[in-house]
């Protein structure tokens, strides 16, 4: 694997860790805990099976995020049974901003002392 | 500028709220900034109504006529400040509580306004200016790309790659000088972000994201608001 950074001088030593596949190996167990912790239930067996599939995909996604963002902790959250599109549609809601030319700009503040 | 600063330590930030299954993040970012500004103006911390914005604010971006504040379908903090300025102010949370839906009619009662906007501005994209405006004017309404927030549990988020396309409205409440960053072998400064997905998400409802780079666009849409002292009639 490769690691890219804007600060290559920081990468004198690359962290090497074993692949932690525990989450994926025990996905169904973690899904049961997830449902219990966040009070999730699904109306039909088909919906349950679909959400389990989404959950597994999100475990793989969390692992990718962990590699891309090693100083944070990524894993199972209350949104782990949502596809990225469902997550965006349901929980995000910032419209596109084009700041007008006549927008009132905050004055520049002194930052010494 | 202080090396570390957190408006929670100064009593300017209300408890973490939960927007539920509704794309109303923009309204929580707006109320958070005005709650802080109102605290600075009056010395009192009052939780403000997001539902008023969800139900009553349909302000449009003057440069993009189709881009209007529209309840659970999204909005903009600067448009919401404009609405609040025009309408006179916001009611408090307990007088107009949050329902998480946008099917209701507007129940705004002008006699129950508790916080009013004096003016609002967009902040320079320079990180020191963002910090200075935060310290001087209170918590800031900011946009962010939330792709890493779906799986975030804790720590300082500092992704190697993150789009600058903004899709989530949050509240910048402080910054720290030394976040743990093992792979970079040194401590990194970070912003402290109040989110609106409840206390069980992230670090008790908060998100830390590193400073110093264009990470997830957090420094690209920043607005500050000032409040005037308002007494309910």
């Amino acid at each position: 694997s490769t690691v890219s950074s804007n600060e290559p001088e920081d990468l004198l030593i690359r962290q090497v860790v074993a692949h932690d596949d525990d989450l994926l190996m025990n996905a169904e167990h973690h899904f049961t805990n997830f449902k219990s912790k966040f009070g999730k239930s699904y109306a039909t067996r088909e919906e349950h099976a679909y959400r389990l599939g989404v959950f597994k995909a999100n475990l793989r996604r969390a692992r990718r995020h962990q590699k891309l963002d090693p100083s944070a902790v990524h894993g199972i959250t209350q949104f782990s049974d949502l596809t990225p599109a469902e997550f965006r549609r349901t929980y995000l809601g910032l419209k596109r901003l084009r700041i007008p030319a006549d927008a009132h700009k905050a004055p520049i503040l002194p930052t010494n002392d | 500028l202080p090396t570390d600063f957190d408006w929670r330590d100064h009593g300017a930030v209300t408890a973490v709220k939960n927007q539920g299954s509704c794309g109303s993040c923009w309204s929580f970012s707006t109320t958070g900034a005005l709650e802080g500004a109102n605290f600075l103006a009056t010395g009192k911390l009052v939780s403000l109504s997001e539902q008023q914005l969800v139900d009553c604010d349909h302000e449009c971006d003057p440069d993009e006529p189709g881009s209007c504040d529209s309840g659970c379908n999204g909005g903009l903090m600067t448009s919401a400040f404009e609405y609040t300025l025009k309408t006179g102010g916001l009611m408090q949370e307990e007088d107009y509580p949050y329902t998480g839906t946008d099917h209701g009619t507007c129940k705004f009662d002008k006699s129950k306004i508790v916080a009013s906007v004096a003016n609002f501005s967009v902040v320079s994209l320079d990180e020191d200016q963002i910090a200075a405006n935060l310290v001087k004017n209170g918590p800031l309404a900011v946009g962010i790309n939330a792709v890493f927030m779906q799986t975030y549990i804790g720590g300082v988020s500092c992704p190697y790659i993150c789009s600058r396309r903004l899709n989530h409205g949050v509240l910048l409440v402080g910054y720290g000088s030394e976040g743990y960053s093992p792979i970079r072998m040194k401590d990194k400064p970070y912003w402290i972000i109040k989110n609106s997905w409840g206390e069980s998400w992230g670090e008790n409802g908060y998100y830390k994201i590193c400073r110093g780079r264009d990470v997830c666009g957090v420094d690209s849409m920043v607005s500050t608001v000032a409040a005037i002292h308002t007494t309910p009639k």
Side-chain angles (χ1 to χ4, degrees):
Chain A
S1 66
T2 58
V3 178
S4 62
S5 168
N6 288 341
E7 298 165 278
E9 71 276 10
D10 291 349
L11 294 171
L12 294 173
I13 299 173
R14 179 175 299 147
Q15 188 179 26
V16 179
V17 293
H19 286 294
D20 183 2
D21 285 333
D22 171 66
L23 282 177
L24 284 168
M25 295 280 283
N26 299 298
E28 296 196 14
H29 170 69
H30 289 298
F31 188 56
T32 302
N33 288 344
F34 163 79
K35 288 186 295 179
S36 169
K37 181 175 179 185
F38 296 110
K40 303 265 187 172
S41 62
Y42 307 106
T44 63
R45 289 171 67 92
E46 289 75 20
E47 176 69 5
H48 185 277
Y50 174 70
R51 290 298 156 193
L52 175 59
V54 172
F55 182 80
K56 286 178 179 175
N58 276 327
L59 292 183
R60 288 191 290 273
R61 198 155 160 264
R63 195 172 64 177
R64 281 198 303 277
H65 281 186
Q66 189 64 72
K67 286 179 180 170
L68 282 168
D69 185 15
S71 55
V73 179
H74 290 273
I76 298 166
T77 70
Q78 67 225 60
F79 307 119
S80 291
D81 61 345
L82 300 177
T83 65
E86 288 171 329
F87 173 69
R88 281 195 302 274
R89 204 165 49 240
T90 314
Y91 292 97
L92 310 182
L94 186 64
K95 298 214 167 177
R96 188 179 292 247
L97 173 73
R98 206 171 64 194
I99 295 175
D102 61 348
H104 183 233
K105 294 193 173 75
I108 300 298
L109 299 173
T111 53
N112 295 326
D113 299 326
Chain B
L1 286 170
T3 53
D4 296 81
F5 189 81
D6 189 340
W7 273 114
R8 289 176 294 179
D9 299 336
H10 302 272
V13 185
T14 56
V16 170
K17 303 181 187 183
N18 195 337
Q19 69 188 66
S21 302
C22 170
S24 54
C25 56
W26 59 278
S27 68
F28 288 84
S29 177
T30 302
T31 56
L34 190 54
E35 284 164 358
N38 190 55
F39 172 80
L40 288 178
T42 67
K44 291 179 189 160
L45 182 64
V46 181
S47 184
L48 300 175
S49 171
E50 293 78 25
Q51 197 64 39
Q52 179 185 337
L53 294 171
V54 169
D55 290 343
C56 313
D57 172 14
H58 306 294
E59 192 75 22
C60 297
D61 183 343
D63 281 6
E64 298 234 24
S67 181
C68 307
D69 292 344
S70 51
C72 293
N73 291 316
L76 269 175
M77 290 81 86
T78 45
S79 300
F81 289 142
E82 185 69 38
Y83 156 81
T84 309
L85 188 64
K86 285 179 181 170
T87 203
L90 292 184
M91 293 164 61
Q92 61 179 325
E93 194 86 63
E94 63 183 62
D95 288 338
Y96 200 154
Y98 187 68
T99 64
T101 66
D102 58 3
H103 309 312
T105 53
C106 177
K107 301 168 199 68
F108 172 54
D109 180 348
K110 203 159 192 165
S111 69
K112 292 185 175 172
I113 288 174
V114 294
S116 298
V117 170
N119 60 60
F120 64 94
S121 315
V122 294
V123 177
S124 158
L125 306 185
D126 175 86
E127 287 220 329
D128 282 342
Q129 284 301 310
I130 295 173
N133 273 278
L134 173 78
V135 172
K136 184 167 187 282
N137 299 325
L140 304 173
V142 303
I144 194 170
N145 182 287
V147 67
F148 281 85
M149 296 171 79
Q150 186 177 358
T151 57
Y152 174 80
I153 291 175
V156 178
S157 184
C158 199
Y160 294 121
I161 307 162
C162 182
S163 169
R164 288 175 56 84
R165 187 177 172 278
L166 306 176
N167 53 20
H168 188 44
V170 289
L171 188 72
L172 182 59
V173 301
Y175 56 84
S177 57
E178 295 187 349
Y180 187 48
S181 182
I183 202 160
R184 293 180 175 86
M185 307 286 288
K186 63 180 177 186
D187 284 329
K188 304 283 280 185
Y190 58 90
W191 297 117
I192 303 167
I193 304 275
K194 183 189 183 189
N195 200 4
S196 50
W197 295 341
E199 285 189 349
S200 62
W201 176 86
E203 292 195 355
N204 300 314
Y206 283 80
Y207 183 57
K208 290 178 185 163
I209 187 163
C210 64
R211 287 177 63 177
R213 293 193 300 154
D214 299 329
V215 182
C216 300
V218 71
D219 57 356
S220 57
M221 176 183 152
V222 183
S223 50
T224 178
V225 64
I228 47 177
H229 192 174
T230 306
T231 310
K233 290 172 186 164

